[in-house]
Amino acid sequence: MFDEIPKPLGSLLCLLLLLIPLSSSTLPNRPCASSGAANAFPFCNSSLPLLTRAESLVSLLTLDEKIKQLSNTADAVPRLGLPAYEWWSEALHGLCTNGPGVLFNGSIRAATVFPQVILTAASFNRTLWREVARAIAEEARAMHNVGQAGLTFWAPNINIFRDPRWGRGQETPGEDPLTVSTFAVEYVKGFQHEDGNGGLMLSACCKHFTAYDLEKWNGSARYTFNAKVTEQDMEDTFQPPFKSCITEGHASCLMCAHNQVNGIPSCAREDLLNQARNDWGFEGYITSDCDAVAIIYENQTYSSSPEESIADVLKAGMDINCGTYLLRHTKSAIEKGKIEEKDINRALLNLFTVQLRLGRFDAEQNNQWFNHLGHTDVCTENHRNLALEATRQGLVLLKNENEFLPLKGQKVESIAVIGPAGNDTDILGGDYTGIPCRPVSILEGIQDYIENTIYVPGCQNVSCNSTFGFDLATDIARNSDYVIVVAGLSLTEETEDLDRVSLLLPGKQMELVNTISGVTKRPIVLLLIGGGPIDVSFAKENKDIGGIIWIGYPGEVGGQVLAEVLFGDYNPDGRLPITWYPESFTNVPMSDMNMRPDPSRSYPGRTYRFYTGETVYKFGYGLSYSNFSYKFLSAPDKLILSLPSIELFHISKIPDYVRTDGLDHVYIKDISSCQDLKFSVRVSVFNHGGMNGAHTVLLFVRHRSNLTDYPVKQLIGFERVHTNYGETTEVEIFVDPCKHISVANKQGKRRLLLGAHVLMLEDLEHEFYIQA
Ligand SMILES: *[C@@H]1O[C@H](CO)[C@@H](O)[C@H](O)[C@H]1NC(C)=O
Ligand SMILES: *[C@@H]1O[C@H](CO)[C@@H](O)[C@H](O)[C@H]1NC(C)=O
Ligand SMILES: *[C@@H]1O[C@H](CO)[C@@H](O)[C@H](O)[C@H]1NC(C)=O
Ligand SMILES: *[C@@H]1O[C@H](CO)[C@@H](O)[C@H](O)[C@H]1NC(C)=O
Ligand SMILES: *[C@@H]1O[C@H](CO)[C@@H](O)[C@H](O)[C@H]1NC(C)=O
Ligand SMILES: *[C@@H]1O[C@H](CO)[C@@H](O)[C@H](O)[C@H]1NC(C)=O
Ligand SMILES: *[C@@H]1O[C@H](CO)[C@@H](O)[C@H](O)[C@H]1NC(C)=O
Ligand SMILES: *[C@@H]1O[C@H](CO)[C@@H](O)[C@H](O)[C@H]1NC(C)=O
Ligand SMILES: *[C@@H]1O[C@H](CO)[C@@H](O)[C@H](O)[C@H]1NC(C)=O
Ligand SMILES: *[C@@H]1O[C@H](CO)[C@@H](O)[C@H](O)[C@H]1NC(C)=O
């Protein structure tokens, strides 16, 4: 269909070259900017449908020109005024240079570093999530406008944080499918700023599709790892975030991962890529992760030649390759008959459609507010305040022995800050961090409250493999009123291409904490930095440790927020979005993708939904300076299914499940037909404590019987509310049983169990029945 240029177009083309000189100021960036362009090129005619415009553009390109569009660094086509384009820009929690598209070398020299995603997630505040994404997008668009960034960004990372060792878990919203799905939707909506007609301010990308969450472990590496995933786990753990990101967030990009999924490279999983396009309505482009095509032949030896790899991915539905592999081998793939030009045209249509939705070729429309963003819209006071909010709302208070914190109203003459990260601003961002506007270290934050604050590192760095420096730290600690020990992780322990091997504090950090806490006048405060869970069992029990705070990677305002919390100017309210496992969990092979436990091989299962072993802190754990209590104001006692829409199975006929309570468990066959089951739960939250504060209500459900294969419990809704001291706030949580209470069977089909279910708010329970 696009193999040859239709005749009228061909002649128009010649005409155009005569009529419109390529003025260097406008045309190289916006081929359709001049008034005559729409006459000459149908692709410049904005009255035409996007697809028609994209088809027209494709039809103008030669094969060689087309091939040069298939890399993240796409070539210019000067004869059409088509500029070169770098597809790869990154903006996970602020603009950063992990991709070549973002540059800090022009009029913009820094951008707001928001906290790493795992901390922002801990706020469980949808509004905040969207506002942060919107702010990042404003800075991104400003950078684009001044020529320092692209329009297509490869965030968010919405893989489930399945194993506590995962080096990139920090980039994700945690382990719970509902939380991750909700975050994905808010991020993409806030970031893309889609108008009613498919127009985009920027493009966001749901990555890494799919079942990607291992960097390097015991000989397995992400480039060659074959994730063996059951249909059941795929349906109710790994895919929900991607489905939401597309169906509700309308993401315009999907990135296929390095790893294989059940023996087939992710970028060659035609069935899964088709599912996204056909079943979920994905309209956008699919990029490979970087070099994810090259490795199919070179490292996975899945294909037997480079050309076959090209065929595998283009026929599966991938559109663009991060890397140069397609540039190098697509021509010969055609020559060898592995693919046809139409396979390339298909990909180009997706790529150009996204470009057109971004308005990249058209004249800049000045009535669009985002075209006016520039260097004064980066590092703004508003964005800084939002970064402060994100860090405040995410920080988690893990221990507060005898209400040791806050240090308010107590006479604090001197404070010692001990730990290698205490005076380090580089550490605050975690991975995918750019250049911060005005970072505040932990030390500086505390110094703003207490002038007499002394810093000693104790260890040379986070690896802390020497006790050299302990003596000085001990002396300082002994003579200070209060002591904060800054411990935890850094990118030398967990990052892209680097998983942890232990969940304990690195090196001799534990020894440092215990040594210091043994000599101080009062209990110490232990501050934990890092994305992954840390086994700090030793510190939970130790009475010399009065408080434990987890601050994730708090972004550039970390020091200020920590001080606000220490001194009671902010009442902490974050909740852990991941289970904190004990060190013994490292016996579980990281490469085992099963979510569900298997007692026959002592496999404990993963995440709060399936793991029933010991924890250091549970998913959703987090203290406040106040105490909150709940009441169910209203919740259903019975949900009745209308019979015609369902097919019933008696549990006795389904050997997967073990009947334990005498009820007949029945499944609904077609879960899309249970719309009429939607309900809401109203809850009151009373604040007993001495401070006003926010609180996240986490509503879980479990089936009353303990069924194998079924989650122990499942988060079905959350709502963050502010409640003043001595007052009550009411919240309403909406539940869609099809979406939230259903669980996949072994074949990966959604099922809803009938019978007794229990709604859970901490220790408070409410039983209800689903009946047919
Ligand atoms: C643009 O497309 C519309 C709709 O097909 C058509 O009516 C119009 O003439 C075209 N404009 C130009 C300048 O070709
Ligand atoms: C910034 O760096 C890019 C890539 O190295 C270069 O092309 C560009 O000219 C530089 N811009 C400035 C203002 O130095
Ligand atoms: C790591 O790999 C080795 C060799 O393949 C294997 O013997 C060992 O059991 C693995 N370790 C774990 C914890 O699975
Ligand atoms: C993949 O194989 C190529 C060619 O043998 C090699 O150069 C490269 O280092 C390998 N990459 C990985 C990630 O193993
Ligand atoms: C903290 O770090 C800064 C910047 O590296 C350095 O100038 C300062 O001396 C350090 N402060 C202390 C108390 O070590
Ligand atoms: C940490 O410090 C030690 C010296 O105590 C040094 O050998 C090591 O290279 C440092 N590690 C990192 C990651 O900087
Ligand atoms: C400390 O760790 C670094 C690497 O992180 C290593 O190079 C160094 O040899 C270690 N030093 C000791 C004393 O173990
Ligand atoms: C919160 O409750 C605990 C246990 O019931 C109690 O010891 C503590 O004093 C309460 N704290 C506040 C701030 O009300
Ligand atoms: C289900 O398991 C919970 C703990 O996991 C236990 O307290 C309860 O008694 C069990 N219920 C049934 C019906 O076996
Ligand atoms: C949620 O975040 C927004 C944006 O920061 C904030 O205005 C709002 O107060 C937060 N909600 C609660 C209950 O904390």
Side-chain angles (χ1 to χ4, degrees):
M1 180 174 179
F2 306 103
D3 292 356
E4 45 190 277
I5 298 174
K7 282 193 192 81
L9 255 183
S11 46
L12 265 180
L13 189 56
C14 304
L15 200 65
L16 174 95
L17 293 178
L18 297 171
L19 288 179
I20 308 174
L22 299 179
S23 117
S24 62
S25 62
T26 55
L27 270 186
N29 288 322
R30 295 181 177 272
C32 304
S34 81
S35 54
N39 287 319
F41 293 139
F43 85 82
C44 285
N45 183 345
S46 56
S47 317
L48 294 171
L50 288 176
L51 184 62
T52 312
R53 294 181 67 188
E55 284 171 349
S56 149
L57 179 49
V58 172
S59 72
L60 297 175
L61 301 178
T62 65
L63 177 60
D64 286 338
E65 287 167 343
K66 287 176 184 176
I67 289 170
K68 288 183 178 155
Q69 298 299 313
L70 297 176
S71 162
N72 61 295
T73 309
D75 250 12
V77 185
R79 68 186 181 86
L80 300 177
L82 207 64
Y85 183 68
E86 176 53 65
W87 287 85
W88 181 10
S89 291
E90 297 279 358
L92 180 68
H93 58 109
L95 277 290
C96 63
T97 50
N98 291 56
V102 175
L103 300 163
F104 283 104
N105 64 353
S107 62
I108 296 173
R109 298 276 162 169
T112 308
V113 175
F114 291 89
Q116 181 59 290
V117 174
I118 192 75
L119 190 77
T120 303
S123 71
F124 286 92
N125 182 341
R126 293 176 181 79
T127 314
L128 175 80
W129 294 345
R130 188 174 299 203
E131 282 181 11
V132 166
R134 197 174 282 153
I136 296 170
E138 272 177 29
E139 300 204 348
R141 184 71 200 208
M143 287 188 80
H144 171 76
N145 291 349
V146 302
Q148 292 180 238
L151 289 164
T152 45
F153 290 81
W154 292 351
N157 180 345
I158 54 167
N159 294 114
I160 294 289
F161 196 165
R162 176 191 60 101
D163 189 291
R165 289 160 284 191
W166 187 28
R168 301 185 75 178
Q170 57 177 300
E171 299 172 25
T172 76
E175 73 183 23
D176 171 61
L178 175 70
T179 312
V180 179
S181 299
T182 309
F183 181 91
V185 173
E186 298 301 336
Y187 182 98
V188 172
K189 288 202 152 187
F191 192 82
Q192 293 198 145
H193 227 286
E194 187 180 357
D195 65 23
N197 308 313
L200 300 170
M201 170 173 127
L202 294 172
S203 163
C205 196
C206 320
K207 71 185 186 186
H208 312 77
F209 192 70
T210 188
Y212 166 68
D213 52 25
L214 176 149
E215 304 298 308
K216 257 186 202 141
W217 180 84
N218 196 30
S220 299
R222 61 175 174 162
Y223 303 108
T224 46
F225 178 57
N226 176 19
K228 292 186 191 140
V229 184
T230 64
E231 291 300 318
Q232 191 173 32
D233 289 339
M234 198 70 160
E235 171 61 30
D236 64 17
T237 295
F238 295 106
Q239 294 298 64
F242 289 98
K243 186 175 179 185
S244 301
C245 198
I246 288 165
T247 58
E248 295 170 58
H250 301 158
S252 51
C253 166
L254 197 56
M255 176 186 286
C256 49
H258 288 121
N259 56 285
Q260 300 187 343
V261 180
N262 296 332
I264 301 175
S266 298
C267 294
R269 282 292 306 239
E270 185 176 359
D271 54 342
L272 296 179
L273 300 184
N274 276 344
Q275 179 185 40
R277 281 206 191 273
N278 302 336
D279 300 350
W280 302 345
F282 174 61
E283 291 176 25
Y285 72 99
I286 299 175
T287 180
S288 75
D289 201 343
C290 295
D291 291 331
V293 182
I295 57 177
I296 291 176
Y297 168 64
E298 291 181 1
N299 311 84
Q300 300 182 3
T301 59
Y302 170 82
S303 63
S304 51
S305 70
E307 291 79 13
E308 273 170 30
S309 314
I310 307 288
D312 288 339
V313 296
L314 283 181
K315 286 177 186 292
M318 191 202 82
D319 301 314
I320 198 170
N321 169 221
C322 178
T324 57
Y325 211 64
L326 266 73
L327 295 182
R328 289 185 276 132
H329 300 291
T330 302
K331 190 74 177 276
S332 72
I334 289 206
E335 286 162 1
K336 292 185 175 160
K338 303 289 180 196
I339 58 165
E340 294 172 62
E341 194 164 348
K342 71 173 167 52
D343 297 314
I344 300 175
N345 294 339
R346 183 205 54 72
L348 291 181
L349 278 186
N350 292 328
L351 293 169
F352 289 139
T353 303
V354 170
Q355 298 279 29
L356 288 165
R357 291 172 67 191
L358 288 161
R360 198 170 76 84
F361 301 144
D362 298 325
E364 198 168 275
Q365 286 172 5
N366 284 322
N367 57 354
Q368 291 201 323
W369 63 276
F370 51 73
N371 283 330
H372 303 286
L373 296 171
H375 72 276
T376 54
D377 299 294
V378 173
C379 295
T380 61
E381 214 45 42
N382 275 347
H383 293 172
R384 190 170 189 82
N385 286 334
L386 198 55
L388 281 163
E389 271 307 303
T391 306
R392 287 173 186 138
Q393 295 186 32
L395 175 147
V396 182
L397 178 63
L398 294 171
K399 175 180 177 181
N400 196 11
E401 187 84 10
N402 301 321
E403 293 173 43
F404 181 71
L405 293 172
L407 305 179
K408 206 170 191 170
Q410 300 170 35
K411 200 156 166 286
V412 184
E413 298 280 352
S414 62
I415 287 201
V417 174
I418 294 170
N423 186 31
D424 183 350
T425 52
D426 289 343
I427 204 173
L428 301 177
D431 69 2
Y432 285 76
T433 290
I435 301 176
C437 310
R438 192 158 43 88
V440 180
S441 68
I442 301 298
L443 171 63
E444 288 167 316
I446 295 174
Q447 270 171 339
D448 281 346
Y449 279 78
I450 307 295
E451 206 179 339
N452 188 10
T453 300
I454 303 174
Y455 172 70
V456 272
C459 304
Q460 199 155 347
N461 54 36
V462 166
S463 310
C464 192
N465 56 7
S466 151
T467 55
F468 180 82
F470 280 26
D471 286 350
L472 178 60
T474 312
D475 284 345
I476 301 285
R478 195 179 275 126
N479 295 312
S480 302
D481 266 4
Y482 287 90
V483 176
I484 320 292
V485 178
V486 185
L489 312 175
S490 73
L491 301 188
T492 58
E493 308 292 322
E494 53 169 5
T495 190
E496 191 157 4
D497 255 332
L498 180 66
D499 293 319
R500 280 185 296 161
V501 288
S502 165
L503 302 180
L504 299 172
L505 285 171
K508 299 186 189 299
Q509 283 196 33
M510 181 171 91
E511 202 177 322
L512 176 67
V513 174
N514 283 333
T515 305
I516 300 297
S517 67
V519 302
T520 49
K521 296 179 192 164
R522 299 187 178 79
I524 65 159
V525 174
L526 174 61
L527 175 67
L528 299 173
I529 292 183
I534 306 169
D535 180 350
V536 285
S537 311
F538 78 96
K540 281 175 81 173
E541 309 309 328
N542 187 341
K543 294 264 184 271
D544 295 334
I545 298 173
I548 307 178
I549 292 171
W550 176 69
I551 199 167
Y553 291 109
E556 65 176 280
V557 297
Q560 179 179 334
V561 172
L562 175 74
E564 288 173 356
V565 168
L566 282 180
F567 297 102
D569 285 337
Y570 190 81
N571 188 357
D573 41 33
R575 304 277 216 121
L576 293 178
I578 28 163
T579 303
W580 282 36
Y581 303 85
E583 174 70 355
S584 58
F585 194 85
T586 56
N587 293 326
V588 176
M590 193 175 174
S591 50
D592 192 322
M593 298 297 289
N594 283 288
M595 298 301 296
R596 285 150 162 99
D598 182 354
S600 72
R601 55 189 178 95
S602 307
Y603 182 72
R606 294 173 179 278
T607 78
Y608 79 89
R609 292 162 64 229
F610 298 105
Y611 172 80
T612 53
E614 214 183 298
T615 57
V616 177
Y617 291 111
K618 292 187 188 317
F619 172 86
Y621 182 80
L623 304 172
S624 162
Y625 294 152
S626 299
N627 283 353
F628 294 88
S629 65
Y630 306 115
K631 272 199 191 111
F632 279 108
L633 297 177
S634 71
D637 294 319
K638 206 181 271 185
L639 299 174
I640 304 200
L641 292 164
S642 46
L643 269 170
S645 66
I646 60 171
E647 190 171 319
L648 304 176
F649 298 89
H650 282 271
I651 192 74
S652 54
K653 302 212 178 85
I654 299 160
D656 292 353
Y657 292 89
V658 181
R659 175 173 160 181
T660 55
D661 66 354
L663 283 170
D664 276 339
H665 300 295
V666 208
Y667 298 179
I668 297 177
K669 188 166 186 240
D670 177 7
I671 61 129
S672 62
S673 64
C674 70
Q675 286 297 315
D676 51 334
L677 287 188
K678 282 186 183 171
F679 63 89
S680 81
V681 176
R682 280 176 48 248
V683 176
S684 70
V685 180
F686 181 69
N687 181 345
H688 297 266
M691 274 181 90
N692 302 337
H695 183 75
T696 295
V697 179
L698 298 173
L699 180 66
F700 294 92
V701 74
R702 65 179 168 85
H703 200 269
R704 203 183 56 192
S705 319
N706 298 338
L707 302 166
T708 52
D709 270 357
Y710 212 77
V712 180
K713 62 177 184 176
Q714 169 70 54
L715 187 70
I716 58 173
F718 57 86
E719 206 60 54
R720 188 184 160 98
V721 291
H722 187 91
T723 309
N724 288 338
Y725 164 46
E727 292 180 8
T728 297
T729 310
E730 290 184 21
V731 298
E732 186 160 20
I733 294 177
F734 294 91
V735 181
D736 175 353
C738 278
K739 198 166 161 189
H740 301 129
I741 306 184
S742 67
V743 170
N745 70 3
K746 288 240 190 290
Q747 288 72 43
K749 297 279 179 269
R750 287 274 177 174
R751 295 292 188 249
L752 186 64
L753 279 173
L754 299 200
H757 291 71
V758 183
L759 294 171
M760 304 161 73
L761 288 170
E762 312 249 326
D763 297 337
L764 199 62
E765 299 198 332
H766 173 88
E767 194 166 278
F768 71 104
Y769 287 81
I770 303 183
Q771 297 183 345

